[in-house]
Amino acid sequence: MDAINARRFGSRRFPALGAGLGRVLLPRLLQAGLVAWLVGTLTFVLTRTLPGDMAYRIAAGRYGHDMVDGAAAEAVRTELALDQPALLAYLSWLGDLLRLDLGRSLVSGAPVIEELGHLLGHSLGLAAVALLLSLLLGPPLGLAAGLRPGGALDRVSEAVASLLRALPPFALGLLLILLFSVSLGWLPAAGHGRSAHFVLPALTLALALAAVSSRVARHAMVEVSGSAYYAFSRTKGLGERLSFLRHGLRNVALPIVAYLGVQFVTLIEGVVVVETLFAWPGIGHALVHAIVARDLPMIQGTALLMGLLFVALNTGVDLFCHGLDPRRRQP
Amino acid sequence: MPSPRRLLAGLALATTLISPPLLAESRPLAVVAPWEITGSDPATSGYIFGRMGIAETLVEVDAEGRLTPGLASDWVVDGAGLSWRFELRDGVVFHDGTPLTAEAAADSLRHAWAKPGMLDSAPITAIEVDGDAVVISLEAPFAPLPALLTHSTTQILAPAAYADGGRVEAMIATGPYRLTELAPPQRLSAERFADYWDAAPAIEAVSYLAVGRGETRALMAESGDADIVFTLDPASRGRLARDEGLALHAEPLPRTIVLKVNAGHPFLAEEAARRALSQAIDRRGIAAGLLRDPEAAAPELFPASLGPWHLGLDGEAGGDPTSARASLEALGWQANDRGVLERDGTPFRLTLTTFADRPELPLVATALQDQWRELGIDLEVAVSNASAIPSGHRDGSLELGLAARNYGLVPDPLGTVLEDFGGDPAQPGGDWGAMHWSDAEVSAWLDTLRQDADPELGEELAGRVAARLNRAMPVIPVAWYQQTAAVNAELEGFSIDPLERSYRLEALTWTQ
């Protein structure tokens, strides 16, 4: 890799890929620990302070609203020791967390870690397909638009992007179902299990993501193509294609990749809505249900996972930028 | 470059060539409903396994709501009413191939008894095996016991279904459909069980998908992704009705929106006052305007599906603030200069507690607030948590509570009625029923109903209890829930079970 870099970018050697990696990873590791503790503590405090009797909520989550009465609530309270002091419950949770034990769901009785594993697979699958789709749609369109700023493509793509970004994912999803399932009958409206089920929820998420990434790519392209080094590459006789590949692509990629980090928030947020709309059994869906049922271990586990996922994804973005941008590897 | 239309035509042709033509019998049936699957345990998700024809109970219910033999072929009670003997049906096998034995049935019932569920309400002392029968011993006579054994929490599972401590590991039951895939919280699939003891269903494979959003469910019915969709949101119903490929069904459920009244409160202690409040409610208006179904108006507590408990009152009645005001005036209430009723200088001001878990309840509460304002009652609506009503019942602070109560958990509502209106004479009523209200005659009738299994007497007493409750209004009925379904027009034999025990899949056939 270094040899290739050296050949392509001139004679000066770039710092090795591993250089300065510790500076990226160490703070992130600390951050992960802090996020785990903060998220867990916050969910604990918030769930405890939610109005209403937890025992009734959990009983309703387990046995259904029609079966809830004082006796069922008392049975739940005794079984789960809900009347123990909050501090004691908190400390025992913290102890379990240190032993990497997330406990059992209060509703289903299954270990939280097992449930999360199952749910996370579904969510990550959906998010990955959505991200891939958005990368195929957004940046190429943005680059094409950025090469001719103010052109027809640029203006049309800006209008479409604004419209898509303004539509809440819920409405966008409904429109897609109406178009592709009800009117055209090409795709299943909701559900999961077959690959065709991926298309509509992933597209709903991807369109919102692509709307933003196409604009970011467009602005980056405009900036790069207007820069002195880009102009120089043309002056020294490189064709449009070669200039773009050698001097444009890597520079344009940086803001797009860096912006991905921000987009993950949209993705994680969107997953909650989209999963509910498309009956997708993922982690966002589970979080909503766990909160309704006051399933504390499940809320903590889900929120923890989402928090850590966010840190992990951002670390991934950092590492990718670290690889792309040799300046970051300078000692 | 072929035109898009030709490309599409080619694609369509290709898919028809690739996929083999489906025979009517092997065409799978997709059911979509809002209820999520919690796990394999009948205590939590048994109702879904029961509805899908996967698991069965000792006692079943026919279309008229009468008890019929299920996995038990016959049952008798001894003279004292303390020992019930359920003979098991011969030749029943579980989905894992093991035979149904009395030990297995008794084990399942003991597991169910240990968890919160229907068996709680019966004074059971032991569940034992005697030959080919399960014997249930009671502390006191309890006539509705067979009705309790129709409830999904008492489903009979194979011994291999249970892990240590009674946790259900796998759903291995006896129904016409055998579970092939369970993916909680949303999906399950099942296929026809070849060794089923009764007639085999016509449709070979069925699936269930839990879809929380009403809009999505309606769209799935329209797009043909689902063959049967339960619980349609009012906004989509009109659109679905115009779809020629769908048939719409509706059926009132024995779940009633009720106003729980604190009869110990000085304003609400008189029977005439409670009746006046009831008289002022425009049930038709609430049913048509908020629940989008005028048939949902509930002039009485129990709908027609509960047989002898149903009085057959006129749904048009009510919504008469003038006579209601006259009744209140007779009790000494006079309107003050702000139009609020007053008695001895105290204004008629009450707080109505409700909760948002059922989204229609706060809406109905505000409608009541508005309708009673015309009467001169200053009603404050407190939208709280579902637990606020039972806890307000216990500490006596509740004035009025608006909730939904299911009287049809089992075909005989007696268990629920006992819980709500019977019980300890010193502390009558229940969390979701009467509060500070008791009636010696109602208690005596309920006692007889509990002890005596004579059906004719039972029907007469049920009618008497219902009539007295309707006159004394310890709880005021407002509306009944409706179950609605959109069904593929190519399906034949569909009907809604008002007790929601079964989707009646075994009665369905594809017409093409």
Side-chain angles (χ1 to χ4, degrees):
Chain A
M1 182 74 195
D2 271 6
I4 301 166
N5 280 342
R7 206 180 57 228
R8 189 177 284 175
F9 295 99
S11 59
R12 215 183 98 233
R13 280 187 68 84
F14 284 106
L17 270 177
L21 211 56
R23 261 187 330 212
V24 179
L25 289 182
L26 253 179
R28 288 295 188 189
L29 208 63
L30 280 173
Q31 199 184 12
L34 198 68
V35 164
W37 174 72
L38 264 178
V39 165
T41 308
L42 265 177
T43 45
F44 183 88
V45 173
L46 288 177
T47 319
R48 284 265 162 178
T49 46
L50 280 176
D53 189 332
M54 271 178 81
Y56 278 87
R57 283 290 175 167
I58 297 167
R62 272 192 194 178
Y63 310 114
H65 276 290
D66 285 338
M67 298 296 290
V68 179
D69 55 16
E74 281 322 303
V76 165
R77 200 189 311 282
T78 319
E79 182 195 327
L80 303 173
L82 291 181
D83 38 14
Q84 68 170 317
L87 190 66
L88 208 67
Y90 174 69
L91 288 177
S92 85
W93 167 77
L94 207 60
D96 286 344
L97 183 66
L98 290 176
R99 282 181 281 118
L100 295 180
D101 177 4
L102 292 178
R104 279 176 182 274
S105 159
L106 302 185
V107 171
S108 74
V112 169
I113 197 101
E114 269 177 31
E115 297 223 334
L116 286 181
H118 172 77
L119 299 167
L120 188 66
H122 285 288
S123 284
L124 285 186
L126 181 61
V129 173
L131 199 61
L132 198 72
L133 216 55
S134 85
L135 287 178
L136 287 177
L137 290 171
L141 198 68
L143 294 183
L147 285 173
R148 308 260 177 288
L153 182 67
D154 187 24
R155 287 205 302 270
V156 170
S157 71
E158 179 166 27
V160 173
S162 314
L163 184 75
L164 286 177
R165 194 68 197 99
L167 269 177
F170 185 75
L172 186 58
L174 278 180
L175 287 177
L176 289 178
I177 297 179
L178 274 173
L179 179 64
F180 289 105
S181 304
V182 178
S183 301
L184 298 170
W186 291 356
L187 292 164
H192 60 106
R194 285 185 292 126
S195 44
H197 284 130
F198 268 99
V199 182
L200 288 186
L203 194 61
T204 307
L205 288 171
L207 285 178
L209 293 178
V212 181
S213 63
S214 72
R215 292 284 90 192
V216 172
R218 182 255 177 208
H219 291 305
M221 193 62 234
V222 169
E223 199 172 304
V224 167
S225 60
S227 68
Y229 62 78
Y230 205 73
F232 180 70
S233 81
R234 298 302 306 277
T235 324
K236 79 181 176 187
L238 286 183
E240 196 167 329
R241 198 175 141 266
L242 269 181
S243 296
F244 176 70
L245 287 177
R246 286 201 186 162
H247 302 281
L249 193 59
R250 192 179 272 249
N251 287 305
V252 169
L254 260 180
I256 298 178
V257 172
Y259 200 75
L260 270 183
V262 180
Q263 288 211 302
F264 287 135
V265 184
T266 321
L267 197 58
I268 290 177
E269 209 179 77
V271 152
V272 177
V273 179
V274 166
E275 282 179 353
T276 315
L277 181 65
F278 288 95
W280 195 266
I283 200 159
H285 186 94
L287 181 63
V288 174
H289 278 263
I291 292 173
V292 171
R294 302 288 191 275
D295 189 350
L296 187 58
M298 203 55 199
I299 303 175
Q300 281 176 327
T302 320
L304 197 68
L305 200 64
M306 282 186 161
L308 291 181
L309 204 62
F310 197 65
V311 176
L313 289 172
N314 273 301
T315 312
V317 167
D318 280 1
L319 287 178
F320 204 67
C321 289
H322 189 82
L324 272 179
D325 186 356
R327 287 167 299 187
R328 298 191 184 205
R329 283 175 256 142
Q330 302 285 3
Chain B
M1 179 86 185
S3 73
R5 182 171 300 178
R6 282 178 67 179
L7 228 131
L8 266 180
L11 251 169
L13 187 70
T15 38
T16 43
L17 286 178
I18 295 163
S19 56
L22 280 176
L23 295 172
E25 193 173 88
S26 57
R27 182 171 167 187
L29 176 86
V31 178
V32 165
W35 306 284
E36 298 217 327
I37 310 163
T38 316
S40 314
D41 197 334
T44 55
S45 297
Y47 63 98
I48 295 172
F49 298 117
R51 289 169 185 175
M52 290 299 288
I54 293 167
E56 297 176 305
T57 47
L58 289 186
V59 183
E60 294 288 325
V61 186
D62 67 10
E64 276 74 50
R66 283 185 302 254
L67 301 183
T68 55
L71 294 178
S73 54
D74 193 18
W75 53 90
V76 284
V77 61
D78 70 350
L82 294 177
S83 172
W84 287 81
R85 191 183 164 85
F86 293 87
E87 297 290 341
L88 288 191
R89 185 180 292 282
D90 283 333
V92 177
V93 281
F94 287 112
H95 294 152
D96 64 353
T98 56
L100 167 71
T101 60
E103 280 83 10
D107 252 353
S108 283
L109 292 180
R110 278 193 286 256
H111 286 309
W113 183 31
K115 296 168 189 170
M118 241 20 239
L119 292 180
D120 280 354
S121 51
I124 297 174
T125 53
I127 299 173
E128 285 152 334
V129 174
D130 180 28
D132 274 341
V134 175
V135 176
I136 300 181
S137 312
L138 302 176
E139 203 171 51
F142 191 76
L145 184 71
L148 298 193
L149 294 179
T150 63
H151 195 252
S152 62
T153 54
T154 69
Q155 282 160 357
I156 305 299
L157 269 52
Y162 298 95
D164 295 340
R167 254 169 43 82
V168 178
E169 269 190 334
M171 172 40 77
I172 309 170
T174 57
Y177 286 101
R178 189 177 68 87
L179 188 70
T180 50
E181 191 202 5
L182 179 65
Q186 271 161 325
R187 198 156 46 100
L188 70 77
S189 314
E191 61 178 19
R192 193 159 62 193
F193 179 44
D195 296 326
Y196 184 53
W197 57 270
D198 204 0
I203 291 173
E204 223 165 71
V206 294
S207 67
Y208 175 92
L209 183 73
V211 178
R213 306 244 21 141
E215 299 89 339
T216 312
R217 283 198 302 278
L219 289 170
M220 289 185 82
E222 274 179 283
S223 68
D225 286 305
D227 301 306
I228 303 176
V229 171
F230 284 99
T231 313
L232 309 169
D233 58 311
S236 306
R237 232 186 283 172
R239 200 177 70 241
L240 294 178
R242 287 193 296 277
D243 192 324
E244 282 179 10
L246 296 173
L248 253 55
H249 296 255
E251 182 79 36
L253 297 180
R255 187 188 288 121
T256 315
I257 296 182
V258 292
L259 253 177
K260 176 184 167 74
V261 180
N262 180 355
H265 191 279
F267 303 169
L268 302 167
E270 297 120 327
E271 210 174 278
R274 299 195 294 269
R275 266 208 304 275
L277 290 184
S278 167
Q279 206 170 18
I281 300 172
D282 178 8
R283 295 181 170 81
R284 280 264 159 179
I286 290 177
L290 294 176
L291 310 172
R292 309 277 178 107
D293 194 343
E295 295 305 311
E300 58 180 309
L301 217 47
F302 309 105
S305 54
L306 293 179
W309 297 84
H310 179 66
L311 300 169
L313 300 181
D314 181 13
E316 302 281 351
D320 184 1
T322 324
S323 8
R325 189 190 273 257
S327 313
L328 288 177
E329 276 168 5
L331 293 170
W333 291 98
Q334 289 299 330
N336 65 13
D337 47 0
R338 286 181 299 116
V340 176
L341 292 177
E342 257 185 26
R343 184 164 72 179
D344 308 328
T346 359
F348 205 134
R349 188 172 293 146
L350 290 170
T351 302
L352 169 65
T353 307
T354 189
F355 51 93
D357 292 65
R358 296 194 185 276
E360 57 283 348
L361 291 181
L363 295 178
V364 174
T366 47
L368 291 174
Q369 181 182 44
D370 192 57
Q371 293 178 3
W372 285 355
R373 185 180 296 129
E374 280 183 52
L375 193 60
I377 294 174
D378 184 5
L379 187 70
E380 191 187 324
V381 173
V383 180
S384 176
N385 253 276
S387 56
I389 292 177
S391 74
H393 173 88
R394 286 175 186 201
D395 63 20
S397 62
L398 186 82
E399 295 178 345
L400 291 162
L402 189 73
R405 185 66 167 150
N406 191 343
Y407 298 102
L409 290 172
V410 298
D412 187 345
L414 182 59
T416 314
V417 173
L418 276 168
E419 213 174 288
D420 286 0
F421 305 104
D424 182 8
Q427 258 188 317
D431 285 348
W432 304 103
M435 180 174 179
H436 296 301
W437 177 85
S438 64
D439 182 310
E441 274 190 305
V442 167
S443 302
W445 294 332
L446 287 177
D447 232 32
T448 315
L449 276 170
R450 176 168 51 195
Q451 296 183 21
D452 204 319
D454 173 20
E456 251 175 63
L457 177 69
E459 290 196 5
E460 197 208 314
L461 289 181
R464 272 197 234 168
V465 171
R468 180 63 58 88
L469 289 178
N470 197 63
R471 194 163 61 88
M473 297 269 172
V475 303
I476 301 173
V478 180
W480 289 314
Y481 279 83
Q482 300 268 321
Q483 181 55 284
T484 47
V487 180
N488 191 326
E490 287 162 18
L491 267 179
E492 211 170 68
F494 180 84
S495 60
I496 296 177
D497 173 9
L499 296 170
E500 293 196 285
R501 289 187 74 252
S502 167
Y503 289 152
R504 299 178 174 165
L505 300 183
E506 63 284 350
L508 295 176
T509 46
W510 289 110
T511 53
Q512 33 183 295

